[in-house]
Amino acid sequence: MMATKTKEVLTAAVPLTADTITEKYMHYCLENNKKPESVYLFSKHIGISEKEFYNHFASIDSLEKSVFVSFHQLTTRLIAQSDDIAQASFRDKLLAYYFTYFEILTANRSYVVFTLKEDKNRLNSLLKLKELRNHFKQFVTEASAGYLKAKSERIRNAQQDALEEGAWIQLMVTMKFWLDDESIGFEKTDLFIEKSIRATFDLIDTTPLESVIDFGKFLIKERLK
């Protein structure tokens, strides 16, 4: 009886969190090379009740979508720890986000490749990133505060919408490049990020387009290999 009580106390001392369930879900997918077939089977596999699962997620699909959001939240927490980030420019904040987010993706590459490449239907893959899209666009909204200078609020709002949507498309393009990147340490992805961000801001700021051309040449070179 004493051993049983001790075990119960130790189990109760470790709170079940959404992050814990997410981590176990990722391990399940990689170890079984497939998603759990039901909440019941997954909950049973990791030793929790269905009720405990539903306290954190509405379904397996909602859990799947939350994985990339958890990567995003970790990214923003890490960025916020920098003493200089509050005074950083929008461009530098975006660069910090990209490099940090892709470091986290790389640390979880096996799962990311599994979940984004399991469906040949590209739309299904994009649906898994639906929640990330909302969080990322909110980050861009906050990071770009004061960046757009148009006097007209209507024009500024239109520019802001275009900026957020363009940033999202750029993130998706970068993720595709990273998924296909076979360079050591994914150094080509780092170069891609630097060139794409630089080219984007040169376009936005209507400065000379040398960097845009440089980035275009880089893309062509990589695709011709």
Side-chain angles (χ1 to χ4, degrees):
M1 289 294 291
M2 182 62 71
T4 301
K5 288 183 179 180
T6 302
K7 183 178 179 180
E8 289 175 355
V9 171
L10 288 174
T11 302
V14 181
L16 183 68
T17 65
D19 287 342
T20 302
I21 296 175
T22 299
E23 184 177 354
K24 291 180 181 296
Y25 170 78
M26 292 167 63
H27 284 307
Y28 180 98
C29 291
L30 293 176
E31 290 168 0
N32 295 277
N33 199 35
K34 64 178 183 178
K35 291 167 50 177
E37 294 180 8
S38 68
V39 170
Y40 170 78
L41 290 175
F42 175 62
S43 299
K44 183 178 180 181
H45 178 81
I46 65 174
I48 66 173
S49 67
E50 284 188 83
K51 182 178 183 300
E52 288 175 299
F53 178 93
Y54 288 124
N55 284 338
H56 298 280
F57 300 102
S59 64
I60 293 295
D61 285 344
S62 68
L63 168 54
E64 184 179 49
K65 291 174 184 176
S66 78
V67 173
F68 290 93
V69 174
S70 69
F71 294 161
H72 166 85
Q73 291 170 337
L74 177 56
T75 297
T76 54
R77 286 199 301 270
L78 290 172
I79 291 174
Q81 292 175 8
S82 170
D83 294 333
D84 302 324
I85 197 66
Q87 287 75 41
S89 66
F90 174 38
R91 172 175 171 169
D92 288 340
K93 288 177 181 176
L94 205 55
L95 276 172
Y97 179 94
Y98 266 73
F99 284 123
T100 305
Y101 191 73
F102 279 91
E103 273 190 41
I104 293 170
L105 289 187
T106 298
N108 296 277
R109 185 174 173 88
S110 294
Y111 172 79
V112 176
V113 171
F114 162 80
T115 193
L116 292 184
K117 288 194 171 184
E118 70 164 340
D119 287 314
K120 292 184 179 180
N121 186 334
R122 186 172 297 179
L123 178 60
N124 289 340
S125 293
L126 289 176
L127 287 174
K128 297 174 184 178
L129 302 173
K130 182 179 178 181
E131 297 302 320
L132 170 64
R133 180 177 183 270
N134 296 333
H135 285 78
F136 177 72
K137 290 180 73 174
Q138 181 59 37
F139 167 78
V140 172
T141 298
E142 296 169 0
S144 63
Y147 177 72
L148 298 173
K149 305 298 184 183
K151 294 182 179 179
S152 166
E153 183 177 354
R154 182 177 62 82
I155 294 175
R156 194 165 59 249
N157 288 339
Q159 288 178 331
Q160 186 68 37
D161 290 341
L163 183 68
E164 292 170 15
E165 197 59 43
W168 171 247
I169 292 171
Q170 185 176 42
L171 182 64
M172 293 298 93
V173 170
T174 307
M175 286 184 71
K176 177 64 169 63
F177 187 94
W178 174 80
L179 284 168
D180 296 336
D181 188 1
E182 296 182 353
S183 63
I184 296 174
F186 305 103
E187 57 186 16
K188 287 184 179 178
T189 296
D190 289 344
L191 188 59
F192 183 94
I193 290 171
E194 291 179 359
K195 288 181 177 292
S196 64
I197 295 293
R198 181 184 170 198
T200 297
F201 277 83
D202 276 355
L203 281 173
I204 294 173
D205 296 337
T206 62
T207 55
L209 299 182
E210 286 86 358
S211 62
V212 179
I213 296 170
D214 185 34
F215 179 52
K217 289 179 179 177
F218 172 76
L219 282 178
I220 294 171
K221 180 181 177 182
E222 290 303 314
R223 290 303 173 223
L224 288 179
K225 284 185 178 179

